[in-house]
Amino acid sequence: MAGTRIRITVGTVAIEAETLDTPTAEAVLAALPFEAQALTWGEEIYFETPVSVAREADARAVVEPGEIAFWVEGDAIAIGYGRTPISQGDEIRLAAPTNIWARALDDVRALDAANAGDRVRVEAF
């Protein structure tokens, strides 16, 4: 359901977000709460989920700060907050086209304090 608030906590950093009206958002909400282990790729945090969805028609690899993405090939949530190894210029380029399913209400650059291996919890807020 669009507009549902969630909290994504990575280590000691908590980000609140609001879901969009997408099939991916519905699937993630249905799976809440869940926990995972953080992975990093440049200035991106990503983590596995119990969710598996198809790529949506408007999926894209270049995202804006604050867009919460779902990497279909990895069944993972991806949150880019800066450059990745394949970024061109200052863009946030993820590994593959992703489904954008939520928008952060907090500054995702705070995730720079998180580390690979940190515990992740995703829950309704």
Side-chain angles (χ1 to χ4, degrees):
M1 170 185 336
T4 299
R5 284 192 162 188
I6 61 167
R7 178 182 291 136
I8 301 170
T9 305
V10 183
T12 60
V13 180
I15 300 289
E16 290 179 27
E18 192 170 79
T19 60
L20 304 174
D21 185 15
T22 71
T24 300
E26 289 179 23
V28 171
L29 287 172
L32 296 180
F34 59 86
E35 294 187 355
Q37 194 169 42
L39 299 166
T40 59
W41 190 55
E43 294 179 310
E44 172 191 334
I45 295 279
Y46 67 102
F47 49 91
E48 292 183 0
T49 73
V51 176
S52 185
V53 295
R55 182 175 289 160
E56 295 170 10
D58 59 351
R60 53 195 162 82
V62 176
V63 299
E64 297 298 320
E67 290 181 325
I68 311 297
F70 191 90
W71 176 37
V72 174
E73 292 83 355
D75 290 339
I77 289 173
I79 307 171
Y81 55 89
R83 292 177 45 77
T84 68
I86 60 171
S87 291
Q88 298 173 14
D90 290 334
E91 71 183 7
I92 302 171
R93 183 177 294 270
L94 305 181
T98 56
N99 298 341
I100 307 303
W101 64 276
R103 185 167 306 281
L105 302 174
D106 297 310
D107 187 349
V108 294
R109 288 176 295 192
L111 290 170
D112 196 43
N115 297 297
D118 281 352
R119 179 175 158 262
V120 177
R121 180 166 174 83
V122 183
E123 59 196 330
F125 182 66

